[in-house]
Amino acid sequence: CLDTQFTLPPPKPKMYISKYREAIVLENKYKNEHRTMVPRTVKAPSHREMCPQRPEGEKPEHTFRKKPEHTGMKKVMAQPACVDTRKGDKQLLEKSGLVPFYLQKNDYRIVPGYLRRRKAEKEKAKQDNDAWLTKQQETVKPLAEQEKQNILQGLKRRFNELNFEYQSLPFTISPSQHKKYNYKMFLEEAMSQVEKDIALFEEHKYIYTSDAFHCFLKNNL
């Protein structure tokens, strides 16, 4: 037989073990017990605690639901509405204008106060205007047709005289010729004013004048 000699491997070195191992294991053992601020398992109540015995002679309470007391809340009623479109768009019937809402108001058909005040102010202004016109009519008189025609003929005669003098001026007048230049401006303004007076007498059928104007016509016509 063959003699064989086996050699044993050298022993492994011991693994490092912390000296705090036991304390850490003990700490982690109860670490998850109170994660939810309560124990992980809650003790179930006993039958005595759930159904305590009532004393003798006491009536049992009713197990059906009690009717709640009145809290003062009013029942909300559905308001009538009208549908506008086929898609279901709707609005309240009271605000749609389809019902005579304003007929039920107490002040219906009563003129508001601000309209009455405005009407009174207009009437007062009209009365003041009529009184002023009446007072003015007392001091003025209508111009007679003959007097009107005489004044109109006199205005036309005056216009022809001014126009003749204007056309008699030289063709060119320089501003250095002060007398002639100023006289030309005077004639132009005078003819413009006479034209306005002629248009006024021809446009209006009735013309009212004061007593002073009548005296002036008597003295100059």
Side-chain angles (χ1 to χ4, degrees):
C1 63
L2 299 175
D3 293 334
T4 57
Q5 187 177 359
F6 297 98
T7 58
L8 297 175
K12 295 183 179 180
K14 291 184 178 180
M15 188 167 52
Y16 171 78
I17 298 175
S18 176
K19 63 179 180 179
Y20 303 105
R21 182 174 182 276
E22 295 180 0
I24 292 174
V25 170
L26 185 62
E27 181 181 352
N28 293 335
K29 182 178 181 181
Y30 302 102
K31 188 174 182 179
N32 298 329
E33 290 292 333
H34 302 285
R35 278 191 173 183
T36 59
M37 304 298 294
V38 294
R40 184 165 53 183
T41 56
V42 181
K43 181 181 178 182
S46 63
H47 178 70
R48 295 290 182 182
E49 294 177 355
M50 294 292 293
C51 301
Q53 294 181 357
R54 63 178 183 273
E56 295 182 2
E58 184 179 353
K59 295 183 179 180
E61 297 181 359
H62 298 287
T63 56
F64 60 86
R65 186 176 179 181
K66 295 182 179 180
K67 186 177 181 180
E69 297 180 358
H70 182 67
T71 58
M73 298 179 63
K74 297 181 180 180
K75 185 178 180 181
V76 179
M77 301 296 294
Q79 298 182 357
C82 61
V83 179
D84 294 336
T85 61
R86 62 181 182 180
K87 294 183 179 180
D89 299 333
K90 62 181 180 179
Q91 60 177 340
L92 296 179
L93 188 62
E94 183 179 354
K95 299 181 179 180
S96 63
L98 301 177
V99 293
F101 176 72
Y102 291 101
L103 294 176
Q104 302 174 3
K105 296 180 68 175
N106 296 329
D107 57 349
Y108 182 69
R109 292 181 180 177
I110 298 178
V111 181
Y114 74 95
L115 290 179
R116 293 196 296 269
R117 291 192 300 270
R118 185 176 299 178
K119 184 178 180 181
E121 292 175 358
K122 287 184 177 181
E123 291 180 354
K124 186 177 181 303
K126 185 178 179 182
Q127 292 176 1
D128 295 343
N129 189 27
D130 295 342
W132 181 83
L133 290 176
T134 304
K135 185 177 179 181
Q136 291 296 324
Q137 289 177 359
E138 293 176 357
T139 58
V140 297
K141 297 179 180 180
L143 191 64
E145 185 65 23
Q146 185 63 32
E147 295 178 350
K148 178 182 176 182
Q149 294 298 328
N150 295 337
I151 295 173
L152 188 58
Q153 295 298 327
L155 290 173
K156 290 181 179 181
R157 192 182 315 112
R158 178 59 177 168
F159 180 80
N160 293 331
E161 294 174 357
L162 294 173
N163 189 27
F164 177 78
E165 293 182 11
Y166 182 79
Q167 292 179 353
S168 301
L169 293 174
F171 185 72
T172 57
I173 299 176
S174 61
S176 59
Q177 300 173 349
H178 300 291
K179 293 183 179 180
K180 293 183 180 180
Y181 186 77
N182 293 337
Y183 186 61
K184 178 183 177 183
M185 298 294 295
F186 167 75
L187 293 176
E188 290 177 353
E189 294 177 0
M191 286 191 297
S192 177
Q193 184 62 38
V194 172
E195 285 181 346
K196 293 180 181 179
D197 295 339
I198 293 173
L200 178 66
F201 274 83
E202 291 180 347
E203 181 180 357
H204 299 284
K205 184 177 181 181
Y206 299 102
I207 297 177
Y208 292 87
T209 58
S210 61
D211 295 336
F213 185 76
H214 279 276
C215 296
F216 175 78
L217 291 178
K218 292 179 180 179
N219 297 330
N220 292 274
L221 291 179

